[in-house]
Amino acid sequence: MEKLIITAAVTGGEYVSKQTTPYVPSTIEEIVAEVVKCVDAGASVVHLHAKDPVTGEAYSGDPNPLMKEYVWRIREEVDVVINLTTGGGRVGNPPEVWDRLVEARCKLGSEMMSLNMGTMNRWAEHPTGEIFLNTVSMLERWCGYMVEHGVKPEHEVYDTGMINVCKQIATKGIVPEPLHVQFVMVGRTGFLPNPRMLQYCVDLLPESWTWSVCALGRNQIPMAAVATVMGGHVRVGFEDNVYLRRGELAKSNADLVRKAANIAGELERPIASPDEARRILGLK
Ligand code: KMH
Ligand code: ZN
């Protein structure tokens, strides 16, 4: 079994603001400091959205200048694989400009970017509405931009149809294999977060592909434990869950990373360093 890659989704994505938890980092300084703590706790990858520095809401403007600043400021402080969102950063930006933003985002210096592999119903109220638009043609273009700029896509799948879309993209040669898939177990509008569902999904993937699990809310840590046993990788952090345990907010994303790392330690699965994560994921 490979070493465990822990991704920390530190910025709280589109759904988590200072109102949800006062501990979500939102200024550049807070985000950089949070990333450093997460790396110290065992994270080798960080997933980032652009945040309004005051409210911690999703930034409603061109997110790329902020993201560029995050990338460079993090690089000055710590070695970690940086994964920028393509799913976020749409609040305030109409669909006609998404392509331009994503293509430009590929040039900001991150090694990975997330890609949501299909159009779906949103799993919670969202400022851009109920539908999360990700057409096949958008996905193919955005994969093309990433590959052109040496960025590895993290294919986020929410149902089994999206696994088929990943396979089509591989078969068409748009992204070189092995692909890296993140099973997003949102419940309700997608995969139910349970071990049988995860096993079913993993069985659908080609042997050589890598995979990770991100489950929402109270399922985050239990499903991370399941993925750790199964040989996959895990994502934790405020984007998907703000509680350390029932009724107790995590004071930092690093608390959640540490919890995942401690579980891996008990299970005798070593944790990957950033360079080991790069090798496992085949990053340039
Ligand atoms: N917030 C997660 C459930 C993205 O940033 O591309 C999905 C996500 C989307 O990570
Ligand atoms: Zn995200």
Side-chain angles (χ1 to χ4, degrees):
M1 211 179 267
E2 288 283 12
K3 290 189 178 179
L4 177 72
I5 300 170
I6 303 178
T7 295
V10 296
T11 48
E14 310 292 290
Y15 293 103
V16 174
S17 68
K18 291 276 184 199
Q19 277 197 323
T20 326
T21 174
Y23 304 112
V24 66
S26 53
T27 65
I28 292 175
E29 290 70 25
E30 285 169 353
I31 291 169
V32 174
E34 189 78 349
V35 168
V36 171
K37 280 206 249 173
C38 287
V39 173
D40 287 345
S44 50
V45 180
V46 283
H47 172 75
L48 302 173
H49 289 235
K51 302 297 272 185
D52 180 295
V54 177
T55 61
E57 306 270 0
Y59 185 69
S60 60
D62 178 350
N64 287 353
L66 260 183
M67 287 183 171
K68 183 175 180 186
E69 188 87 5
Y70 298 163
V71 170
W72 290 101
R73 295 280 293 277
I74 290 168
R75 291 232 178 292
E76 281 171 1
E77 294 296 326
V78 71
D79 180 32
V80 65
V81 175
I82 299 178
N83 170 328
L84 296 177
T85 183
T86 63
R90 300 188 190 182
V91 176
N93 294 301
E96 326 60 277
V97 309
W98 293 349
D99 256 63
R100 186 177 55 72
L101 289 175
V102 169
E103 187 176 19
R105 201 168 300 161
C106 292
K107 303 175 197 166
L108 302 183
S110 76
E111 292 168 88
M112 297 181 82
M113 283 167 72
S114 65
L115 194 61
N116 297 267
M117 297 307 293
T119 295
M120 65 195 109
N121 290 314
R122 293 252 182 218
W123 48 94
E125 206 176 305
H126 191 276
T128 63
E130 287 180 290
I131 305 295
F132 188 19
L133 189 70
N134 297 284
T135 64
V136 170
S137 58
M138 276 166 64
L139 298 175
E140 291 187 350
R141 273 199 310 281
W142 294 4
C143 282
Y145 300 151
M146 290 185 207
V147 171
E148 187 186 334
H149 295 289
V151 175
K152 174 126 183 174
E154 175 192 59
H155 300 276
E156 298 199 293
V157 306
Y158 298 68
D159 64 41
T160 52
M162 295 189 203
I163 299 175
N164 297 341
V165 178
C166 293
K167 288 180 179 173
Q168 274 180 55
I169 278 172
T171 306
K172 285 184 170 181
I174 297 170
V175 177
E177 295 192 63
L179 272 58
H180 178 65
V181 170
Q182 170 104 267
F183 297 114
V184 186
M185 308 198 99
V186 292
R188 293 189 291 186
T189 56
F191 293 127
L192 292 174
N194 67 55
R196 287 181 68 205
M197 181 66 86
L198 182 57
Q199 184 65 61
Y200 182 74
C201 292
V202 172
D203 288 345
L204 292 173
L205 294 190
E207 193 84 7
S208 64
W209 293 15
T210 51
W211 60 272
S212 171
V213 171
C214 122
L216 302 198
R218 66 190 159 80
N219 296 300
Q220 179 173 81
I221 296 293
M223 288 310 297
V226 173
T228 300
V229 175
M230 287 173 63
H233 305 284
V234 305
R235 165 169 135 174
V236 295
F238 287 168
E239 181 162 339
D240 313 312
N241 165 44
V242 296
Y243 288 97
L244 185 59
R245 55 181 67 84
R246 190 189 298 262
E248 184 189 333
L249 287 173
K251 298 226 166 33
S252 160
N253 284 279
D255 294 344
L256 296 164
V257 172
R258 203 169 296 108
K259 194 160 181 172
N262 287 344
I263 291 169
E266 290 298 329
L267 296 168
E268 300 191 28
R269 175 124 184 243
I271 308 291
S273 67
D275 271 343
E276 288 166 336
R278 289 184 179 101
R279 182 192 53 74
I280 294 165
L281 295 169
L283 304 183
K284 298 240 160 68

